Amino acid sequence: MARVTSRLVVEPDDDRWPLGPRNDIVAEQHTGDSPTEAGAERGGTFEAVGGPFRRYRRKVSTARRTDGRLAVTTTVEWELAIPFFGWVYALPVRRALARRPGPPGHQPWWAPPARLDPRASSTVGALAAAALVAGYLGTLLTQTITYAADDLGQASRGAQGIVLASVRLGVPLALLVTVVADRRGRRRVLLLSAGAAVVLAATGGLAPSMAWLGASQTLARGCSTAVALLIAVVAAEEMPRGSRAYAVSVLTLAAALGSGLCVMALPLTALGPGGWRLLYLLALAGLPVVLAVRRHLPETRRFATQHRQVAMTGHWGRLALLAAMAFLFAVFAAPASQFQNEFLRTERDYSAAAIALFTLVTNTPAGVGVIVGGRLADTHGRRRVGAVGVVGLTAGTLATYLTAGPSMWLAAVVGGMVGAVAVPALGVYGPELFPTSLRARANGAISVVGVAGSALGLLAAGALSDQLDGVGQAMVILAVGPAALVVVVLTLLPETAGRSLEELNPEDQAPPPVAPPPPSPSSAEVGQPAGDR
């Protein structure tokens, strides 16, 4: 258990912290006075009744000073209920517990706006580990396609675009998986999909042709997409209403870390023509992670609780709206991401190491935007935050492809940071706007439409860049997609911040209790005058 001790001098009649319970990242209750040292006049022990702790205890001892005030010594011992990534929060939590708390209910800037309980904390940690694996698998083909194409003798951008687009055909498999998840449960399907995605992705390292590579990664992408969709569904169903977007931001960062690990492995491609195959074999490291996630990931309470089975009737409008948003975003974002390495290698003459450095340096600051976007989306609403993010991402991406040198790096950093705020703000809508019995499959359907947009964008970008002699000019044409998306976000989307899933989806509300029938008159009362009963 971690421990921190602090000392403070307070007035003898002060009943606030440290002599009283705190109510910020942890909600405490007093368990009784228990002076622990000679001269102690007040003291006691506090335990947690709320907060992200598996174990928590704060001991307080006091001694009266000569000036009449109390010297207070407080020792806090705790163990975070966050698997895999508890180390990320270790120092911020230590500093917060050693300091005077803020107003009741106040959360530090790095913490979720609504306090998590141990179960939610454990779940989001397990989901983050699964997201890391999915992030690596999701970026694997993107990072290696240019090197694989050279090695396998099909280096044209058009051919690469066809492979990248055809891989999206695996997403209908994700839709099938999500249908099963709505019937059989989220946990089992998520874990099986993650294991299958790892194994299928690794077979890409044995590819003798681009067709083999495309086929293997089509199946792997379908499974990893299902994992990403179910991660979002589980997070929405387990997080409190005031922290759903924050959870999406944390999971996005975990997925970005997985993508970053793939990027950091990119210099392995310089070992020889087949060096890119090593990145596929490294995917097998995800198997022990999936096994470890299994120990910490519960079935969601909303799925485990009896819920109504409803048809999609009445939800087609929401489905069409979110599907259109996914399409408009993907038609621009997919080619912007997928062709970046090809652009840097052929139009800017970057080596594999230089590409990896550019990607890490320009993408890492986006983590700040993701965290800020998640918090703002929970506290100030989703729509405005999402619109600002889409505008920033589009402008930054275009500037990146149309400039060179320091301007290109600066545009990528700024565009990535501003654009990242849209990820949690808009990404949380899919799980929020559908009832439990439809939540996974609806998001699978939205993903299918989004993939259709990405496939169209990739094909268009590949063909246009060959004709216009540059990826940048193609991206200018495709920017019509995010421009239309901003209009949709500001005019058609409902605001969901601070509302429970049951409020957004009345089908999931528990039915009102049935009043018991009035008692029947006893046999002794039958036939008696009314006034005698």
Side-chain angles (χ1 to χ4, degrees):
M1 292 180 68
R3 175 184 296 180
V4 63
T5 300
S6 57
R7 294 172 177 82
L8 192 67
V9 177
V10 301
E11 297 298 329
D13 58 349
D14 196 340
D15 60 356
R16 298 172 298 175
W17 183 89
L19 298 177
R22 70 185 302 155
N23 180 20
D24 52 349
I25 63 170
V26 59
E28 296 178 337
Q29 69 176 4
H30 191 245
T31 61
D33 291 334
S34 55
T36 58
E37 60 184 60
E41 297 191 2
R42 294 175 63 187
T45 303
F46 296 85
E47 294 183 352
V49 293
F53 300 97
R54 185 174 291 111
R55 290 195 291 268
Y56 179 93
R57 181 175 58 186
R58 181 166 68 92
K59 290 184 177 181
V60 179
S61 61
T62 64
R64 186 173 294 276
R65 291 160 41 104
T66 56
D67 62 3
R69 295 189 296 171
L70 296 179
V72 182
T73 301
T74 177
T75 300
V76 187
E77 296 178 329
W78 73 93
E79 181 183 356
L80 285 171
I82 306 175
F84 304 104
F85 294 95
W87 56 272
V88 174
Y89 291 92
L91 182 58
V93 168
R94 173 180 290 272
R95 296 182 64 182
L97 294 179
R99 293 178 175 178
R100 184 184 296 273
H106 171 78
Q107 299 291 303
W109 66 268
W110 47 266
R115 183 172 52 230
L116 303 187
D117 60 19
R119 177 189 171 102
S121 302
S122 179
T123 299
V124 78
L127 292 176
L132 185 147
V133 175
Y136 184 95
L137 301 180
T139 197
L140 187 54
L141 184 63
T142 302
Q143 294 299 322
T144 58
I145 183 68
T146 184
Y147 305 102
D150 263 354
D151 184 35
L152 299 174
Q154 291 179 291
S156 74
R157 290 171 181 165
Q160 293 180 46
I162 291 173
V163 172
L164 291 170
S166 64
V167 166
R168 269 67 183 172
L169 297 177
V171 174
L173 172 61
L175 176 58
L176 176 62
V177 171
T178 56
V179 171
V180 176
D182 274 339
R183 295 177 179 176
R184 301 294 183 182
R186 290 46 166 122
R187 177 182 181 273
R188 181 189 306 175
V189 176
L190 190 157
L191 293 172
L192 290 175
S193 299
V198 168
V199 174
L200 290 168
T203 63
L206 306 175
S209 65
M210 288 288 279
W212 174 298
L213 181 64
S216 67
Q217 299 315 296
T218 295
L219 297 175
R221 182 64 64 88
C223 291
S224 63
T225 300
V227 172
L229 291 171
L230 293 176
I231 286 172
V233 168
V234 173
E237 293 183 345
E238 286 291 295
M239 295 301 110
R241 70 177 68 187
S243 292
R244 289 194 298 264
Y246 175 89
V248 171
S249 69
V250 169
L251 298 175
T252 300
L253 289 181
L257 177 59
S259 298
L261 293 176
C262 187
V263 173
M264 286 188 282
L266 199 58
L268 292 175
T269 60
L271 295 178
W276 59 273
R277 299 178 186 272
L278 296 176
L279 278 76
Y280 288 83
L281 298 180
L282 285 175
L284 292 173
L287 280 179
V289 177
V290 174
L291 293 175
V293 168
R294 180 176 177 270
R295 298 196 300 269
H296 299 279
L297 185 65
E299 182 55 83
T300 69
R301 284 174 289 197
R302 281 187 167 89
F303 182 86
T305 302
Q306 187 67 28
H307 55 275
R308 293 172 57 189
Q309 298 294 322
V310 297
M312 190 64 74
T313 305
H315 296 279
W316 288 113
R318 289 180 171 183
L319 184 63
L321 174 61
L322 296 181
M325 290 172 53
F327 183 92
L328 293 172
F329 182 76
V331 78
F332 177 84
S337 170
Q338 304 275 330
F339 279 107
Q340 178 175 282
N341 284 10
E342 173 72 7
F343 165 77
L344 293 173
R345 187 177 73 88
T346 61
E347 296 188 31
R348 296 295 181 262
D349 296 321
Y350 277 33
S351 65
I355 292 173
L357 179 64
F358 177 86
T359 304
L360 291 173
V361 169
T362 58
N363 286 355
T364 300
V368 177
V370 171
I371 290 294
V372 171
R375 192 169 186 86
L376 289 177
D378 276 328
T379 57
H380 291 77
R382 326 290 205 209
R383 293 188 301 175
R384 287 179 296 176
V385 175
V388 169
V390 172
V391 170
L393 176 65
T394 306
T397 300
L398 292 179
T400 299
Y401 277 101
L402 297 175
T403 59
S407 298
M408 180 181 73
W409 288 65
L410 180 61
V413 170
V414 176
M417 288 182 65
V418 178
V421 305
V423 175
L426 300 182
V428 73
Y429 271 104
E432 286 182 329
L433 292 183
F434 299 94
T436 300
S437 62
L438 299 176
R439 189 165 289 127
R441 76 188 72 178
N443 281 269
I446 292 168
S447 180
V448 169
V449 177
V451 165
S454 67
L456 177 62
L458 288 167
L459 292 173
L464 289 171
S465 62
D466 285 339
Q467 295 178 5
L468 301 176
D469 196 27
V471 179
Q473 299 301 321
M475 297 311 302
V476 171
I477 296 174
L478 295 177
V480 65
L485 174 59
V486 172
V487 177
V488 171
V489 169
L490 292 177
T491 59
L492 299 178
L493 268 186
E495 186 54 70
T496 61
R499 302 173 67 185
S500 71
L501 295 183
E502 289 72 25
E503 182 182 355
L504 294 168
N505 304 284
E507 299 93 332
D508 282 344
Q509 292 180 2
V514 178
S520 58
S522 65
S523 58
E525 294 174 325
V526 176
Q528 291 182 357
D532 296 333
R533 295 181 185 175

